[in-house]
Amino acid sequence: MIKFCLAFWFFIALVSSEKFRFDNYSLYNVLPKNENEIKLLQELAHNDIEYDFWTEPGPSAEFVNIMASPSQKYNLETLLNLHGIDYKVTIKNIQEIIDKETVKPYTRNSRFMTWDSYYTLRDIENWMSDMAKAHSSIVTEIVGGVSYERRPIKGLKISHGTGRQVIFIESGIHSREWITMATTCYIINELLTSNDEETKAAARDFDWYIFPVTNPDGYVWTHTEDRLWRKNRRPQRGDIGVDLNRNWNNNWLVIGASANPSSNNFAGIGPFSEPETRTLSEYIRSIDNIEMYLTFHSAGQILLIPFGNTTEPLANYHDALNIGRRAMGALSVRYGTQYTSGNIAEAIYHASGSSMDWVKEVLHVPLAYCYEFRDRGQFGHLLPPDQILPNSQEVMDSLIELIHQGKRFGYFNNSDVVKASMLSTSCLVIVLKCFM
Ligand SMILES: *[C@@H]1O[C@H](CO)[C@@H](O)[C@H](O)[C@H]1NC(C)=O
Ligand SMILES: *[C@@H]1O[C@H](CO)[C@@H](O)[C@H](O)[C@H]1NC(C)=O
Ligand SMILES: *[C@@H]1O[C@H](CO)[C@@H](O)[C@H](O)[C@H]1NC(C)=O
Ligand SMILES: [Zn+2]
């Protein structure tokens, strides 16, 4: 009977599913040769909400990813040809790539993700919960906020003791960037299970606050309705969704964000108008001692530092860039993956109201980085599952190097950490003495 019910339920789910299909939608990798061509692409990106730009036509962009529907393809190609702009079609039929994307079910209590598949929100949450139970002396389940549809924003805190500086990871704020959630889970797994000495030290020496899915409504939507959904799911004047990475209260709607609710960069009706950003920012503000803040996005292989409103080198720009560049050197060692680095405005394009700029300006977090993960124009947000592991490994390598280089530049030097580890050593000595 149960089997029959399940089968019936699956049948209903199948026939009633109205998941948006991307048949014959194509991904273009446009290769501008000069400033004029970049200007033209910028106008197209900012005056025309028709095309879905997967990457921004920044002032030094070597490539720009644009998705076009079957009915847009003719116009886009005509325009590009007219201006002599080079391009390649890297995905002819986007639906075909989506169909190949594997989403595996997670087996409860196995604590085992395979790193060759993506997972649903529920599975990521169950896995985190199982990891927390399995490592209960150092892991706490935490809730960083709530979504418009009232889903909790769940994460894990990893802490080997008090008095440590904090590394905060915020991931998946753009729901279609699936590689970010997967890689964040991998990082959690490494911090809890790796045998590598440096990774173990990184886990031990800091308090880690990690949120793999900060836009849970959007993420659910990408699994059930529209694989390429980017924003949250709050209805807005006839449209749906706010770009949660343009909604933070720093230079809100100043530049590189849209006031048009149908734009993918819609900044919302005011700073922190959205429950996700409002609650998460309050949570972040409540944490003392954040030494490094990381936010994960895809794609383009870029490491960004604050700020997005100006190319001026503000705050500790030079330290941050030096540390970041060295970390990207470490990232490239394993598979040769090359990242470029710079502040948001110089490396991508002017964009304001992002989480990174807010934590930098308002909370004065010493080191703040935004990663744009793999790749450079081929698959974009549809990074094939066989790249989950390599992307995750190289990002983990860079994270260790960020800490290492940060220390060389005088960061991560909170004397409490030293005290804390000395304290635990002396406690151990006392305990040992008692037993001897
Ligand atoms: C996609 O394009 C192919 C070849 O151009 C065509 O045969 C097919 O019908 C199209 N599919 C859809 C769903 O429009
Ligand atoms: C850019 O934003 C930063 C941080 O809010 C601010 O200090 C700076 O004055 C701004 N610069 C310009 C040119 O708007
Ligand atoms: C850590 O290093 C920075 C930069 O050199 C310095 O400003 C700060 O006072 C140091 N903090 C501690 C706790 O030593
Ligand atoms: Zn993003």
Side-chain angles (χ1 to χ4, degrees):
M1 185 60 194
I2 288 171
K3 261 192 190 149
F4 173 77
C5 284
L6 268 179
F8 186 68
W9 185 82
F10 276 124
F11 176 73
I12 294 293
L14 270 179
V15 294
S16 66
S17 151
E18 283 172 45
K19 200 165 170 176
F20 189 89
R21 293 186 58 85
F22 291 89
D23 295 297
N24 291 345
Y25 277 61
S26 297
L27 185 65
Y28 290 79
N29 197 16
V30 181
L31 308 160
K33 292 182 290 293
N34 53 49
E35 266 175 48
N36 285 343
E37 297 191 356
I38 287 181
K39 281 226 174 72
L40 199 116
L41 291 169
Q42 287 174 347
E43 276 165 34
L44 194 66
H46 297 101
N47 300 334
D48 186 345
I49 54 165
E50 265 182 54
Y51 297 108
D52 188 349
F53 277 72
W54 286 12
T55 62
E56 292 287 333
S60 51
E62 288 161 26
F63 69 92
V64 179
N65 264 163
I66 307 173
M67 179 172 77
S69 70
S71 64
Q72 292 171 327
K73 285 198 275 198
Y74 176 78
N75 283 347
L76 181 63
E77 289 182 15
T78 305
L79 185 91
L80 295 173
N81 290 335
L82 186 70
H83 292 89
I85 305 177
D86 297 335
Y87 64 88
K88 287 183 289 204
V89 177
T90 55
I91 304 180
K92 205 155 176 272
N93 180 0
I94 284 185
Q95 188 60 44
E96 211 175 276
I97 303 297
I98 293 176
D99 291 341
K100 279 191 205 147
E101 211 168 36
T102 52
V103 179
K104 277 193 195 159
Y106 164 69
T107 310
R108 203 68 218 259
N109 298 318
S110 70
R111 310 196 295 271
F112 195 69
M113 277 191 173
T114 55
W115 318 120
D116 62 356
S117 170
Y118 295 105
Y119 291 86
T120 62
L121 178 69
R122 175 187 293 192
D123 282 350
I124 290 174
E125 289 179 349
N126 283 341
W127 175 79
M128 284 200 291
S129 205
D130 292 344
M131 291 301 272
K133 274 186 221 119
H135 304 269
S136 59
S137 59
I138 49 171
V139 180
T140 323
E141 291 187 72
I142 49 179
V143 175
V146 67
S147 71
Y148 173 73
E149 291 170 352
R150 311 223 56 79
R151 290 188 176 88
I153 297 172
K154 292 187 179 175
L156 295 182
K157 177 183 176 186
I158 302 174
S159 174
H160 286 253
T162 54
R164 283 148 170 81
Q165 289 177 313
V166 169
I167 298 178
F168 195 105
I169 299 181
E170 163 236 297
S171 181
I173 205 166
H174 287 148
S175 45
R176 65 189 179 181
E177 298 166 9
W178 280 12
I179 184 59
T180 64
M181 299 80 170
T183 289
T184 305
C185 291
Y186 180 86
I187 291 170
I188 292 173
N189 194 64
E190 283 295 290
L191 291 172
L192 294 177
T193 66
S194 173
N195 288 320
D196 171 66
E197 287 306 325
E198 280 186 297
T199 308
K200 287 197 310 205
R204 208 173 47 229
D205 293 346
F206 299 97
D207 279 354
W208 295 80
Y209 288 75
I210 307 182
F211 292 94
V213 192
T214 50
N215 175 8
D217 299 349
Y219 191 55
V220 167
W221 199 254
T222 61
H223 282 269
T224 59
E225 307 291 332
D226 178 349
R227 171 64 184 86
L228 293 169
W229 190 259
R230 166 183 166 98
K231 304 187 282 184
N232 76 349
R233 290 295 307 163
R234 185 177 178 191
Q236 308 277 343
R237 287 184 267 146
D239 277 288
I240 291 180
V242 169
D243 181 345
L244 294 177
N245 208 33
R246 299 288 182 281
N247 188 244
W248 295 63
N249 191 9
N250 176 245
N251 295 316
W252 179 79
L253 200 54
V254 167
I255 192 164
S258 176
N260 181 345
S262 39
S263 164
N264 250 342
N265 295 321
F266 178 48
I269 54 170
F272 288 146
S273 58
E274 303 311 293
E276 293 87 350
T277 51
R278 196 168 54 241
T279 55
L280 187 60
S281 62
E282 277 163 16
Y283 182 82
I284 297 167
R285 193 196 278 278
S286 75
I287 297 167
D288 293 330
N289 224 357
I290 301 180
E291 184 74 358
M292 183 158 77
Y293 188 92
L294 304 175
T295 165
F296 292 157
H297 290 258
S298 76
Q301 292 170 209
I302 312 171
L303 184 75
L304 300 165
I305 62 171
F307 286 87
N309 62 324
T310 172
T311 54
E312 258 180 88
L314 296 176
N316 58 341
Y317 172 94
H318 295 288
D319 276 6
L321 195 59
N322 269 316
I323 295 166
R325 285 212 172 116
R326 287 159 198 227
M328 292 308 104
L331 184 148
S332 73
V333 170
R334 205 184 274 261
Y335 297 108
T337 311
Q338 299 294 326
Y339 274 54
T340 51
S341 317
N343 87 6
I344 304 174
E346 62 189 353
I348 301 202
Y349 194 60
H350 287 99
S352 63
S354 70
S355 60
M356 176 170 74
D357 282 6
W358 182 81
V359 299
K360 185 70 194 169
E361 177 68 7
V362 178
L363 305 185
H364 309 294
V365 170
L367 295 173
Y369 293 99
C370 171
Y371 281 70
E372 297 279 354
F373 289 160
R374 290 187 183 199
D375 54 15
R376 284 178 60 81
Q378 200 185 353
F379 292 103
H381 303 314
L382 297 170
L383 195 69
D386 64 4
Q387 291 193 47
I388 294 173
L389 185 59
N391 183 78
S392 303
Q393 289 170 322
E394 68 197 13
V395 168
M396 192 68 216
D397 293 341
S398 74
L399 233 164
I400 298 298
E401 190 66 10
L402 275 179
I403 296 170
H404 179 63
Q405 292 296 336
K407 283 181 181 161
R408 292 189 56 211
F409 279 74
Y411 298 84
F412 303 117
N413 60 348
N414 184 346
S415 47
D416 282 0
V417 176
V418 185
K419 267 192 244 147
S421 55
M422 271 166 34
L423 199 68
S424 56
T425 316
S426 46
C427 284
L428 192 67
V429 171
I430 292 165
V431 170
L432 285 177
K433 276 189 181 150
C434 291
F435 278 96
M436 283 192 311

